[in-house]
Amino acid sequence: MYENLIVETLEGGVGLIRIHRPKRLNALNQATMDEIVRAVRAFEADDAVRAIVLTGDERAFAAGADVTEMDGANVPEMLSGYRFEQWETLRRTTKPLIAAVSGFALGGGLELAMLCDIIVASETARLGQPEINLGIMPGAGGTQRLTRQVGKYLAMEMVLTGRMLTAEEAYRHGLVNRVVPVEFYLEEAIQIAREIAKKAPVAVRLAKDAILKAEDTPLEVGLAYERHNFYLLFGTEDKQEGIRAFLEKRKPEWKGR
Ligand code: CO8
């Protein structure tokens, strides 16, 4: 069903997508991007999946767009393609996406990780935007999301020199949530996903939605948006259940509505 991915549904409501092009360091060719979008959409539509983990392998999360495919590309082709719609589709995923990053996360690979909601890194992770070495620049959020996250000066250094950050540096600058030994990074990401999968799904969805709003709205607009989502949750059965269960000192049983 997938040529460049290994996709499975794990216990505890977690969907796992592994990018699997080891000979190309999981470079994101078009076929792989097509499959990632297809796999995410399938998990979005599956009520049994409540959170999604996206990973590569120990050596690479993804070493960027596939440079061989960019060799013959020209402006009209880049403009007419549907690549950017795919990135937008991933950005609009309503279920939490957790990136488990080991080894190289470069160029489009780092941009893909930055589209996720939580990033767990192994100690071996190397994160960078080396496009400048190819005579181009980041095109899927690498100048925007990275700058919002690490600030102007480090973003300038990374994008203009192509220098990769170590996992520890990335952690210090808030680019990853945590750094764990390489043997555990995937398990750690799956554990976080399982933890989220246990929560009330509509609350998770609206909370994620509100946090993403904070990326591109002034505070006042964001606060109004947050309040709207907050009110909406008062119409759910899960809100009744969550509060009743707390008062009755028992575990809630979520219905997802
Ligand atoms: N594309 C294609 N093949 C790749 C890529 C890549 N991005 N990265 C590595 N490979 C291949 C290598 O060519 C090599 O193949 P072969 O064995 O046939 O020679 C194999 O993977 C193993 O790689 P190396 O032998 O180079 O491994 P090293 O450990 O020596 O080096 C590096 C690892 C440092 C990661 C090195 O491979 C490298 O610099 N790779 C390129 C990284 C890069 O420049 N990435 C950015 C690409 S541009 C981009 O991502 C733009 C995104 C735009 C997004 C918007 C799209 C719409």
Side-chain angles (χ1 to χ4, degrees):
M1 198 164 121
Y2 294 98
E3 259 178 49
N4 305 301
L5 306 181
I6 300 168
V7 178
E8 41 189 324
T9 304
L10 307 179
E11 266 176 41
V14 175
L16 175 63
I17 301 172
R18 295 175 202 248
I19 307 167
H20 186 63
R21 294 187 77 213
K23 288 186 181 144
R24 303 269 95 181
L25 297 184
N26 295 331
L28 302 166
N29 60 353
Q30 192 53 57
T32 305
M33 284 305 295
D34 290 349
E35 291 190 353
I36 292 173
V37 170
R38 183 150 61 85
V40 168
R41 279 201 174 131
F43 282 144
E44 278 275 87
D46 183 350
D47 284 343
V49 170
R50 302 273 177 86
I52 302 165
V53 174
L54 178 61
T55 194
D57 52 43
E58 280 188 16
R59 192 159 172 227
F61 176 74
D66 193 308
V67 177
T68 54
E69 276 188 351
M70 293 195 303
D71 190 20
N74 55 27
V75 176
E77 202 178 298
M78 293 304 280
L79 281 172
S80 64
Y82 56 98
R83 293 180 179 86
F84 292 102
E85 286 158 35
Q86 292 191 314
W87 289 81
E88 201 47 35
T89 302
L90 293 177
R91 190 172 83 88
R92 292 183 186 283
T93 307
T94 64
K95 294 181 182 176
L97 274 173
I98 294 144
V101 175
S102 180
F104 298 110
L106 303 177
L110 177 53
E111 291 172 316
L112 183 61
M114 288 193 293
L115 265 188
C116 294
D117 304 307
I118 290 175
I119 305 180
V120 174
S122 90
E123 284 167 345
T124 63
R126 295 291 175 274
L127 303 92
Q129 300 286 169
E131 289 91 339
I132 201 80
N133 297 326
L134 301 170
I136 54 173
M137 61 175 274
T143 64
Q144 302 302 301
R145 276 192 199 96
L146 182 69
T147 306
R148 279 171 167 73
Q149 205 53 44
V150 304
K152 170 182 156 186
Y153 302 107
L154 186 58
M156 284 285 184
E157 182 186 337
M158 289 173 70
V159 171
L160 302 186
T161 72
R163 181 173 82 79
M164 297 179 214
L165 301 186
T166 62
E168 210 38 59
E169 260 183 300
Y171 176 69
R172 245 187 293 127
H173 292 280
L175 190 53
V176 302
N177 289 67
R178 58 187 77 169
V179 181
V180 294
V182 67
E183 311 88 89
F184 305 123
Y185 76 99
L186 183 54
E187 199 43 45
E188 183 83 5
I190 292 169
Q191 280 313 325
I192 296 172
R194 286 204 171 112
E195 194 56 41
I196 295 170
K198 284 188 217 151
K199 311 295 183 197
V202 184
V204 166
R205 178 180 174 157
L206 293 185
K208 165 174 168 163
D209 177 54
I211 291 172
L212 289 182
K213 249 308 171 238
E215 285 186 336
D216 57 9
T217 43
L219 185 60
E220 199 158 331
V221 178
L223 287 172
Y225 194 87
E226 176 189 74
R227 212 169 306 133
H228 175 79
N229 283 7
F230 181 70
Y231 290 149
L232 280 180
L233 289 172
F234 280 72
T236 63
E237 287 180 33
D238 281 347
K239 171 261 166 189
Q240 303 291 89
E241 169 64 6
I243 290 177
R244 214 170 295 144
F246 176 82
L247 295 175
E248 292 168 6
K249 300 188 188 305
R250 61 172 173 83
K251 277 198 164 171
E253 284 187 28
W254 308 123
K255 294 201 170 69
R257 54 179 188 264

